[in-house]
Amino acid sequence: MTDAAELRAAVRDFLAEHDPGGDRLEFLRARFDAGLAWVNYPAGLGGRDAPRELQTVVDAEFAAAGAPDNAPSRNGIGLGMAAPTILRFGTDEQRARYLRPLWTGEEIWCQLFSEPGAGSDLAALATRAVRDGDDWVVEGQKVWTSFAHKAKWAILVARSDPDAPKHKGLSYFVCDMTDPNVEVRPLRQITGEAEFNEVFLNGVRIPDSQRLGEIGQGWQVAMGTLMNERVAIGGGNTGRESGMIGVVAREWRDDPEVRTPGAHDRLLRLWVEAEATRLTGQRLRQQLAVGTPGPEGSAVKLAFSRLNQEISGFELELLGEQGLSYEDWTQRRPETVDFTGRDPGYRYLRAKGNSIEGGTSEVLRNVIAERVLGLPPEIRTDKDVPWKELPR
C-alpha cells in the first residue's frame, strides 16, 4: 500500500520534471496523469488507489513548492458531486472521458436536479426523458442551478418511465450544457447576486452512452450524488475557527466596543458548537476513506446550516447599526460561492440559503430520523402508485 513517504517522494520526482511556474494547465494535466490528482482514485484516473487521507500530504507538498492548484471552488459541483458519481456508476469509457478535464477545471459541471414543482421532493420531478433510438429526448425545467451559465456538462435526473412509482421511474444522464436546446436564465437572489439559474431543456437529445447507471436506477445514483453533496457543503476540510465563527471571533478581538457579558456567553457557545461541527465533519471524512458517505452527512450539513445562520445573525446584533449597511445590490455573477465574503449584511442574507441548498433542512431531518435514529418513516400514500397517476 502506498504510504506518505512514497507520495512525498513521488511529488518531489514530479516537481523535478515539471516546472510549477510554467504553463498552469499543462502542469495540472501532468499531475493528473502522474496519479497525484486525487490519490484515492484508481491508477489511470488521476490516482494511485491510496488511502484518501493521504491527499493532504500530496496537496501540502505541492503548495509548499508554489504549484498551482485546480481552483476547486470554481468547480465544486464537478469535484464534489459529479466525479464520485462517475467513478462509482460510470463506465470505463465515461470515466476516461470526463474525469481528467473535470479535475483540471477545463470543463465545469452543474447539477440539474431541482424543479419548480419538486424542490424538496426530488422523486416527484417531471422532466421527461423519452427513448428515441440511441438517444434520449429530454423536455423540462430545472431551477436553482449553480454554475449553469459556465458549465460544459451537467448531471441530470429525468423521468424515463411515468408508469412506474416515482422513485423507480428515473434515470440519470450527463447533459451537454452547450447544446442549443439548453436555455439558461439567471435567478437573482436576496443578496442581489445571481449565483444560480433556471434551466429549460427544450428537446435536448442525449446519447444513451451518456447515461450513468441502469435505466430506472436514477434514484439510487442521485442519492449517492446527494450524500457527497452534503459532505461537500457541511463537511469541508477546514481549520479551527474558520468560516463564519472565525469572522465573528476576529471582530470580537479587534473591537472592544462590541463586547458585553451576554455577547461573550453567546460567542463562547457558538464557538464550541462550530468546533463540534467541524470535528464531526472530520470524522465523516475518515468514514469516507473506507467507503461511501452515509446518512451522517445529512446531520453535518443540517448542523452547518443552522449554525451559519445563527452566527451571521449574531454578527449583525454585535455590530449594531454598522451591521445594517449593505455595500452594493448590483446584480453580480460571482465565480464562486462565498459564505463569508463581503459585508455583514451580505453574509446574513447569503446564510439564508444554507438551509435550502444541498437538501432542505426539513428533508435532512427526515433522513436523520429514519436512517440514523431508526424512527418510523412518514406515511407515504404515493409509494406504490404510478407517477403519472399522482396529483400535481
Side-chain angles (χ1 to χ4, degrees):
M1 177 181 291
T2 305
D3 61 20
E6 291 176 10
L7 284 175
R8 289 191 182 94
V11 173
R12 286 196 295 271
D13 292 344
F14 179 88
L15 290 170
E17 297 180 5
H18 300 85
D19 178 9
D23 184 89
R24 177 179 179 276
L25 190 54
E26 290 304 317
F27 185 90
L28 292 174
R29 287 171 176 167
R31 178 177 164 179
F32 183 94
D33 293 339
L36 296 169
W38 33 43
V39 297
N40 57 304
Y41 274 41
L45 296 175
R48 297 180 174 226
D49 293 303
R52 181 189 295 263
E53 60 267 27
L54 293 181
Q55 184 68 47
T56 57
V57 174
V58 171
D59 291 343
E61 290 291 317
F62 278 113
D69 66 17
N70 61 343
S73 59
R74 288 189 64 249
N75 200 15
I77 292 173
L79 292 165
M81 298 157 222
T85 304
I86 293 167
L87 182 66
R88 181 178 176 190
F89 293 99
T91 63
D92 290 342
E93 291 76 14
Q94 289 168 339
R95 296 184 190 111
R97 165 61 186 87
Y98 297 126
L99 290 179
R100 186 179 191 244
L102 185 161
W103 187 83
T104 61
E106 294 169 82
E107 294 179 347
I108 305 298
W109 288 65
C110 66
Q111 180 189 43
L112 297 176
F113 280 20
S114 295
E115 296 187 4
S120 297
D121 185 7
L122 176 62
L125 63 82
T127 291
R128 291 289 311 278
V130 177
R131 188 70 181 261
D132 183 17
D134 292 333
D135 295 341
W136 294 82
V137 180
V138 180
E139 296 270 0
Q141 179 186 357
K142 299 290 183 175
V143 73
W144 305 319
T145 309
S146 300
F147 303 115
H149 55 298
K150 292 181 173 295
K152 161 62 180 170
W153 299 109
I155 43 179
L156 163 71
V157 183
R159 187 161 303 283
S160 54
D161 184 0
D163 294 321
K166 64 180 186 178
H167 291 85
K168 298 179 179 177
L170 304 172
S171 295
Y172 196 112
F173 303 93
V174 173
C175 175
D176 184 351
M177 292 296 291
T178 65
D179 187 295
N181 294 314
V182 176
E183 181 184 357
V184 177
R185 301 177 187 172
L187 281 174
R188 197 174 194 192
Q189 301 157 231
I190 193 173
T191 59
E193 294 184 330
E195 281 178 34
F196 43 63
N197 311 270
E198 54 185 346
V199 177
F200 296 85
L201 305 164
N202 305 313
V204 181
R205 298 189 76 86
I206 300 178
D208 188 57
S209 60
Q210 291 177 201
R211 172 170 45 81
L212 289 178
E214 301 298 324
I215 296 173
Q217 195 188 12
W219 180 252
Q220 290 89 338
V221 181
M223 287 303 98
T225 302
L226 292 178
M227 291 299 181
N228 283 295
E229 179 184 35
R230 286 156 196 170
V231 173
I233 292 177
N237 188 16
T238 57
R240 175 177 287 189
E241 210 173 273
S242 57
M244 269 306 300
I245 194 64
V247 172
V248 176
R250 284 192 294 277
E251 289 168 348
W252 178 269
R253 294 190 181 100
D254 294 344
D255 186 1
E257 297 296 324
V258 304
R259 300 174 192 169
T260 66
H264 180 262
D265 290 345
R266 287 181 66 188
L267 177 60
L268 280 181
R269 179 179 61 80
L270 292 169
W271 196 97
V272 170
E273 290 187 30
E275 183 64 4
T277 301
R278 185 183 73 84
L279 293 174
T280 304
Q282 284 195 356
R283 186 175 65 180
L284 191 63
R285 285 192 299 280
Q286 291 172 356
Q287 292 175 334
L288 278 172
V290 296
T292 55
E296 297 87 350
S298 298
V300 174
K301 196 273 175 179
L302 180 64
F304 161 79
S305 300
R306 183 194 60 77
L307 198 56
N308 219 38
Q309 291 175 353
E310 187 172 353
I311 296 173
S312 62
F314 173 64
E315 183 188 26
L316 287 191
E317 294 180 42
L318 202 63
L319 297 177
E321 293 183 2
Q322 178 191 344
L324 298 178
S325 64
Y326 202 85
E327 62 173 9
D328 187 4
W329 208 66
T330 305
Q331 179 171 303
R332 306 182 186 189
R333 299 284 267 173
E335 287 288 320
T336 60
V337 176
D338 188 357
F339 294 150
T340 59
R342 296 177 61 179
D343 55 35
Y346 171 83
R347 293 191 281 271
Y348 176 76
L349 294 177
R350 182 59 186 83
K352 297 302 179 188
N354 295 154
S355 52
I356 301 174
E357 57 199 344
T360 66
S361 293
E362 289 78 8
V363 168
L364 298 183
R365 289 189 183 97
N366 278 345
V367 171
I368 294 166
E370 296 176 15
R371 303 184 198 172
V372 178
L373 302 178
L375 297 176
E378 279 191 312
I379 297 174
R380 293 172 177 136
T381 57
D382 58 1
K383 187 173 182 181
D384 297 317
V385 180
W387 175 81
K388 66 181 182 181
E389 296 178 10
L390 296 176
R392 286 187 293 280

